[in-house]
Each structure stands twice: as C-alpha cells, then as structure tokens.
Amino acid sequence: MDACEAGTEHARHAMRRRALLVTGAAAAFTLSGVRYAQPAGAGDSGGDGDQTRVVGGTLPPGSPDYVYLPVEVPRGVREIHVGYTYERVPVPSGTQGNALDIGIFDERGTALGGRGFRGWSGGARTEFFIRADAATPGYVPGPVHPGTWHIALGPYTVAPQGLRYEVTITLRFGESAPAPRPVYPPERAGGRGRAWYRGDCHLHTVHSDGGRTPEEVASGARAAGLDFINTSEHNTHAAHGAWEGLWGDDLLILTGEEVTTRNGHAIALGTDPGTFVDWRYRARDDRFGRIARGIRRAGGLVVPAHPHAVCIGCSWKFGFCEADAVEVWNGPYTPDDEVALAAWDGTLVAAARSRRAWIPAMGSSDAHREPQAIGVPQTVVLADELSRSAILAGIRAGRSYVAESSGVSLSFSAAGGRGDRAGIGGRLRVADDAPVTVRLDVAGAPGCTAGFVTDQGTLHTQALPASGTGSAEWTTTPQYAAYVRAEVRHAPVTPGLPGPLAAMTNPVFLGR
C-alpha cells in the first residue's frame, strides 16, 4: 500500500510505482513518509544546498477525499518547493477523468481546524513554494520549521484506470529572510452615512483559481460601481494580506473564503482577517455546524453559494439551518439560479407559516477572469455606514436587493394601517384584514416587467416604461399574502418560461 520513493539531493531519478490500494470510503489516507538527510554543518542556522525527493503512486477509483504525504523536514530549511504531475487518461463520454488537487500543512499537523494549514491551490497550479518572506499565491509565507509536514493530495475525480501521480519535493537550505507582518484591510471606509451600498461578495484572484490580480479586482470593482467586495478564495485565507493600498474611502474590502467541500460551497463572508476555514468534510460527517459556528465567532456570515449548481461537488447538501443568507443568483442568470430562487422562496413560505427566522437572499458574480464581469450581479445593502459590521448587519437582516449591475436601482416598500410603512427585509405589523399597498420604483431596466411575488406565487405583473424607469403598485392584505417581494425580469428567452432577472428584492412580511 505504500508509495515508492526515490531521489537524490539535486536531481530526479526514475522510480517504480505501486498502486495505492484503498477500500471503503475513508475520509483520508496517509502514505509512508519522505525523509531528508541533514546537510553537514547545517545546524539551526542552516547550510547551503538543495535536496530533492520524488514520490509517486496510483490512486484507484473510490480513493479517500484526501491523501497525505508526510515529509520529514530537518533543521536549516529556508524553502520548501513542491511540484506535481498526474496522468490524464482518455475516458468514454459521460465518465469522469482524473483531477488531482494539492495543498500543504506544516509541522503543526493536519487536524480539522487547520492549525497547520499553509496553503491550497486545488488544481490551479502544478507547483508552489513556501519560505519565510514569500510564498506562491494561495500559500502562507512563514518560517519552514523542522518536523513532519504533510502534502495534501485531493483526488477530486478518478478515472476507471486509476490516477497515477508523481510529486517532487525540494528542500532548500540556508539562512531565512525575515517574515513580513501582513497588512490587512481596515474595517471601515468613508461611505455616505446611512445609505444603500453595492457589493460583490464572491470573487476570485490568482490566490486561488482566478486570473485577476487583487489590483485588477479592486480596479474592476470600482469600475462596476461597487462600494465593497469580499475576498473569497477557494479553501485558503492567504489573500487576506494581499490588498495593501487597494482600499480607500470609496471601497471597503472584507476578508473571507469560499469553503469548497465535496458536498457544496459556502462563502465565509467578512471573517476576521487571517481566519482559515476548513473544508475537509462531507455532509454525512456532521461537522458543518461546528465550522459554521467558528465562522460566526470570527465575525462572519455563512452563505451557501450557488446551491443548485451542476458542477461536481457544487450542489449544497448541508441544509440551511446554519445559513445566515443564501446566494440565489451567481453570475449571469441561468436555469440553476432560477431553481435556487424557487427553492429559497419555499423557505420563505415555511418561515411565514411557523414564524421562524428567515434566510435572506443575495447575489454575487463569482467572477474568476475575463470576460466574466465583476459586479454581475451585485447585492445592494442598506447600512448605517460603509463598515464591515454595518454591511454584515444589513445582509443578515435582509435589508438588501440584488441587481444585475449598478445601472439598476430599486425602491420597495409596503404601507398600510395608520401610516405604517415597512421596507425591504422588514415587517408591516397591521391587522390581517387591513389593506396593504406595496410599491416598487425601478430605474435602469428598459424592456423589463415588474412583478410581485407572495407565498401563493406571482400575483401581479406590470410592464415598465420603455425608458426602464417607472413604478408598480398592488394592494393586498396580510391574510391573503404572508409576504411580498419584488422581481424585475427581462423578456423571456424561451416561450412559456420566465425571463432572466434584472433585479429582485428580499421580502416584506405582512401582519402581526
């Protein structure tokens, strides 16, 4: 069952491979370790030279989610460099081929919670390095202390022929440079006082599998008319300190992570800078509740992302009991967003019936690279100020709507009784038989139709003027509609199906 290993201090050598035989569905498997000789005269202060080892093997179908390769790191190492390759074999149509992710944990271990976490690049890179003063994007710089490090291999999919891999580990000895202190974004920007602020909470850079640098994302956010963004790299917090000089009075930068499990993705939104959120579990492991509580202890929100996406491992299977909000609109509007929207609307019905807390909706671009547009869509939040605490409070309370761009603006409220009024995310507390008038004002949606959606479905639609700026009103009672929310839709692309969203609001609940 052990992987073969061979190598010299300075070059690769050919090696024989034996299959890693794994039975059952264990969560992880540890290979035999890789050892290095202590260079002559290295000591604690280090010595010059490189040592390289090459290991490999074959992962069969049904392999565990994570395979750990222990690396015994001696004293005096200033840098660890890891490269890997794996065989991409042809497979029949409809059969999954090979895909192998990679990351690393240091001498503090691989226990859930990630004290030893030092980086993850998934399948986005074929090599990485870590040293005290620098690291490959997605990895955390810092001293390379002696002890047992673990390279983490994640067989995302395995072909029927198995997944043959080879990992090359080079240790470079010598004096370490001083480790820089990370500079994190401030928690407050200038803002406009109590106002509606636009943000994109799901973005990627070169620190995971994105093609944009943080500088390019910040520039794109400003061009999209955004007031705030949230860093959300896959399974790493390494980008939290990569935004120095990119924030300003006009742009608040929140720190977070896209927690990318095998049973769905969640945005850890607005966590304390430097917070790592582990992802190495499935829904059946019953660990997500503890992870979610950790996100909230770090000041963040738990937001299941693209819950009905069709990519492997993307569909959300952890339930919504721990969700603070849910991403119902991810990037340009597609059928899986329509499914997510309908499923979320069903949770509103349940909340209205049982008087339970409800889960607000939000939208984000999930933009990775050109031509994917930053801020399409964007969540527009009513907040007391442009600060981390105020923005998160607005999202948590549902005082928000989602728009396809900064060119679309909404105002939505319900009025009734003796001058009572409630806005998005609020409750209009009037008698069950009291007349209630809901009003939607729209700007920037030419050719669109406004609609009012209740627990019975869409009960009123109205075409907007050709200019895209106009209003719609409808009167109901709380006994007829437990809540009302607004949608603005483009013309249908397919006859008989609803058109793509241009904007949508969270609900106003009606009745006492």
Side-chain angles (χ1 to χ4, degrees), residues 121-138:
S121 49
R125 302 184 187 280
T126 59
E127 59 182 335
F128 63 85
F129 76 91
I130 295 173
R131 62 175 187 258
D133 62 329
T136 299

Side-chain angles (χ1 to χ4, degrees), residues 388-427:
R388 171 190 172 193
S389 60
I391 292 295
L392 295 187
I395 292 173
R396 186 187 297 108
R399 296 192 301 268
S400 62
Y401 65 89
V402 186
E404 64 181 358
S405 74
S406 60
V408 181
S409 296
L410 303 183
S411 175
F412 179 60
S413 63
R418 299 179 179 178
D420 296 322
R421 183 177 296 273
I424 299 171
R427 176 176 287 276

Side-chain angles (χ1 to χ4, degrees), residues 275-446:
T275 298
F276 166 72
V277 184
D278 216 321
W279 71 95
R280 294 169 295 157
Y281 43 82
R282 294 196 187 199
R284 65 192 181 202
D285 298 325
D286 197 25
R287 290 173 173 170
F288 185 71
R290 177 158 57 118
I291 297 296
R293 290 189 292 273
I295 292 172
R296 284 190 280 270
R297 280 195 302 271
L301 303 182
V302 179
V303 184
H306 46 66
H308 292 276
V310 296
C311 49
I312 296 172
C314 293
S315 181
W316 185 251
K317 299 184 184 299
F318 293 90
F320 294 92
C321 292
E322 297 290 350
D324 298 302
V326 60
E327 185 187 79
V328 302
W329 185 353
N330 177 276
Y333 201 73
T334 56
D336 59 278
D337 295 314
E338 190 70 38
V339 174
L341 178 65
W344 167 73
D345 189 79
T347 69
L348 298 181
V349 173
R353 182 179 65 245
S354 64
R355 300 296 192 267
R356 295 182 303 189
W358 63 284
I359 305 170
M362 57 187 302
S364 299
S365 72
D366 197 5
H368 285 67
R369 58 184 56 82
E370 297 294 344
Q372 297 169 347
I374 295 169
V376 179
Q378 51 195 246
T379 299
V380 191
V381 184
L382 179 60
D384 291 334
E385 60 180 4
L386 186 54
S387 69
R388 171 190 172 193
S389 60
I391 292 295
L392 295 187
I395 292 173
R396 186 187 297 108
R399 296 192 301 268
S400 62
Y401 65 89
V402 186
E404 64 181 358
S405 74
S406 60
V408 181
S409 296
L410 303 183
S411 175
F412 179 60
S413 63
R418 299 179 179 178
D420 296 322
R421 183 177 296 273
I424 299 171
R427 176 176 287 276
L428 183 64
R429 300 182 183 279
V430 296
D432 284 352
D433 59 353
V436 172
T437 298
V438 293
R439 179 183 174 91
L440 174 68
D441 296 306
V442 183

